Amino acid sequence: METMKKLITTSCANYIDGKCLLFDRECPLISGGEYRGKKIPASDCSCTYFEKAVLPANKTLEAVYYGIDTVLNKKCKGCGKGFNSVSNKAMYCGDVCRKSANRNSHRKYNQKRAK
Ligand SMILES: [Zn+2]
Protein backbone atom coordinates (compact mmCIF):
# COMPACT_ATOMS: atom_id res chain seq x y z
CA MET A 1 0.00 0.00 0.00
CA GLU A 2 2.15 2.83 -1.33
CA THR A 3 0.02 5.77 -0.21
CA MET A 4 -0.16 4.51 3.37
CA LYS A 5 3.60 4.08 3.36
CA LYS A 6 4.01 7.59 2.05
CA LEU A 7 1.80 9.02 4.79
CA ILE A 8 3.84 7.22 7.45
CA THR A 9 7.24 8.15 6.05
CA THR A 10 6.31 11.81 5.57
CA SER A 11 3.95 12.46 8.49
CA CYS A 12 4.68 10.13 11.39
CA ALA A 13 6.87 11.85 13.96
CA ASN A 14 8.09 8.49 15.28
CA TYR A 15 9.29 7.28 11.91
CA ILE A 16 13.02 7.90 11.53
CA ASP A 17 15.05 6.24 8.78
CA GLY A 18 12.72 3.26 8.49
CA LYS A 19 12.60 2.69 12.24
CA CYS A 20 9.81 3.39 14.66
CA LEU A 21 10.95 5.25 17.76
CA LEU A 22 8.07 3.82 19.79
CA PHE A 23 8.76 0.16 19.02
CA ASP A 24 12.51 0.58 18.50
CA ARG A 25 12.32 -1.51 15.35
CA GLU A 26 11.02 -1.27 11.80
CA CYS A 27 7.61 0.34 11.49
CA PRO A 28 5.07 -2.52 11.75
CA LEU A 29 2.64 -0.69 9.46
CA ILE A 30 5.21 -0.85 6.69
CA SER A 31 7.29 -3.95 7.40
CA GLY A 32 4.74 -6.05 9.23
CA GLY A 33 5.16 -7.56 12.65
CA GLU A 34 5.79 -10.80 14.47
CA TYR A 35 3.75 -12.33 17.22
CA ARG A 36 4.89 -15.52 18.99
CA GLY A 37 7.05 -16.44 16.03
CA LYS A 38 4.29 -15.86 13.50
CA LYS A 39 4.62 -13.24 10.81
CA ILE A 40 1.91 -10.63 10.75
CA PRO A 41 1.33 -8.76 7.49
CA ALA A 42 1.63 -4.98 7.65
CA SER A 43 -2.06 -4.60 6.77
CA ASP A 44 -3.00 -6.49 9.96
CA CYS A 45 -0.76 -4.41 12.20
CA SER A 46 -1.98 -1.42 14.11
CA CYS A 47 -0.31 1.53 15.75
CA THR A 48 -2.09 3.65 18.35
CA TYR A 49 0.11 6.67 17.75
CA PHE A 50 -0.47 6.50 13.99
CA GLU A 51 -4.24 6.15 14.51
CA LYS A 52 -4.43 9.13 16.85
CA ALA A 53 -1.84 11.56 15.50
CA VAL A 54 -1.23 10.83 11.83
CA LEU A 55 -4.25 9.15 10.31
CA PRO A 56 -7.01 11.72 11.07
CA ALA A 57 -5.28 14.15 8.70
CA ASN A 58 -6.09 11.92 5.76
CA LYS A 59 -9.73 10.79 5.65
CA THR A 60 -9.29 8.64 2.58
CA LEU A 61 -6.45 6.62 4.07
CA GLU A 62 -8.27 6.50 7.39
CA ALA A 63 -11.09 4.69 5.62
CA VAL A 64 -8.61 2.32 3.95
CA TYR A 65 -6.87 1.66 7.27
CA TYR A 66 -10.08 0.67 9.02
CA GLY A 67 -11.11 -1.46 6.06
CA ILE A 68 -13.90 0.82 4.92
CA ASP A 69 -13.77 1.44 1.21
CA THR A 70 -15.50 4.77 1.42
CA VAL A 71 -16.67 6.88 4.29
CA LEU A 72 -19.73 8.61 2.95
CA ASN A 73 -19.64 11.85 4.86
CA LYS A 74 -21.44 13.97 2.28
CA LYS A 75 -24.71 13.92 0.43
CA CYS A 76 -24.81 14.99 -3.19
CA LYS A 77 -27.15 17.90 -3.87
CA GLY A 78 -27.61 16.63 -7.39
CA CYS A 79 -28.50 12.95 -7.15
CA GLY A 80 -28.88 12.60 -3.37
CA LYS A 81 -26.34 9.81 -3.13
CA GLY A 82 -23.75 9.73 -0.40
CA PHE A 83 -20.18 10.42 -1.34
CA ASN A 84 -16.86 10.99 0.32
CA SER A 85 -14.98 14.24 0.31
CA VAL A 86 -12.42 15.88 2.53
CA SER A 87 -13.50 19.29 1.29
CA ASN A 88 -16.15 21.18 3.24
CA LYS A 89 -17.25 22.97 0.09
CA ALA A 90 -18.03 19.85 -1.91
CA MET A 91 -21.74 19.60 -2.65
CA TYR A 92 -21.83 17.15 -5.54
CA CYS A 93 -20.55 13.62 -5.92
CA GLY A 94 -18.84 14.41 -9.18
CA ASP A 95 -18.52 16.63 -12.21
CA VAL A 96 -21.60 15.13 -13.85
CA CYS A 97 -23.88 16.16 -10.98
CA ARG A 98 -22.25 19.54 -10.62
CA LYS A 99 -22.70 20.31 -14.31
CA SER A 100 -26.30 19.10 -14.54
CA ALA A 101 -27.14 21.08 -11.37
CA ASN A 102 -25.71 24.20 -12.95
CA ARG A 103 -27.71 23.57 -16.07
CA ASN A 104 -30.92 23.16 -14.05
CA SER A 105 -30.46 26.39 -12.18
CA HIS A 106 -29.89 28.17 -15.47
CA ARG A 107 -33.09 26.72 -16.87
CA LYS A 108 -35.10 27.92 -13.84
CA TYR A 109 -33.59 31.34 -14.18
CA ASN A 110 -34.52 31.54 -17.83
CA GLN A 111 -38.09 30.38 -17.16
CA LYS A 112 -38.58 33.12 -14.61
CA ARG A 113 -37.32 35.68 -17.06
CA ALA A 114 -39.66 34.39 -19.78
CA LYS A 115 -42.77 35.05 -17.71
ZN1 LIG B 1 -24.52 13.12 -7.47
Side-chain angles (χ1 to χ4, degrees), residues 76 78-80 93-94 97:
C76 177
C79 64
C93 64
C97 279

Coordinates of all heavy atoms in Angstrom, one line a residue, residues 76 78-80 93-94 97, ligand 1:
C76 N -24.8 14.2 -2.0 CA -24.8 15.0 -3.2 C -26.1 15.8 -3.4 O -27.2 15.2 -3.2 CB -24.6 14.0 -4.4 SG -24.7 14.9 -6.0
G78 N -27.1 16.9 -6.1 CA -27.6 16.6 -7.4 C -28.4 15.4 -7.4 O -29.6 15.4 -7.6
C79 N -27.8 14.2 -7.1 CA -28.5 12.9 -7.2 C -28.9 12.4 -5.8 O -29.6 11.4 -5.7 CB -27.6 11.9 -7.9 SG -26.1 11.6 -7.0
G80 N -28.5 13.0 -4.7 CA -28.9 12.6 -3.4 C -28.1 11.4 -2.8 O -28.3 11.0 -1.7
C93 N -21.4 14.8 -5.9 CA -20.5 13.6 -5.9 C -19.5 13.6 -7.1 O -18.5 12.9 -7.0 CB -21.4 12.4 -6.0 SG -22.3 12.2 -7.5
G94 N -19.8 14.4 -8.1 CA -18.8 14.4 -9.2 C -19.2 15.5 -10.2 O -20.1 16.3 -10.0
C97 N -22.8 15.6 -11.8 CA -23.9 16.2 -11.0 C -23.7 17.7 -10.9 O -24.7 18.4 -10.9 CB -23.9 15.6 -9.6 SG -24.7 14.0 -9.5
Ligands
ZN1 ZN -24.5 13.1 -7.5

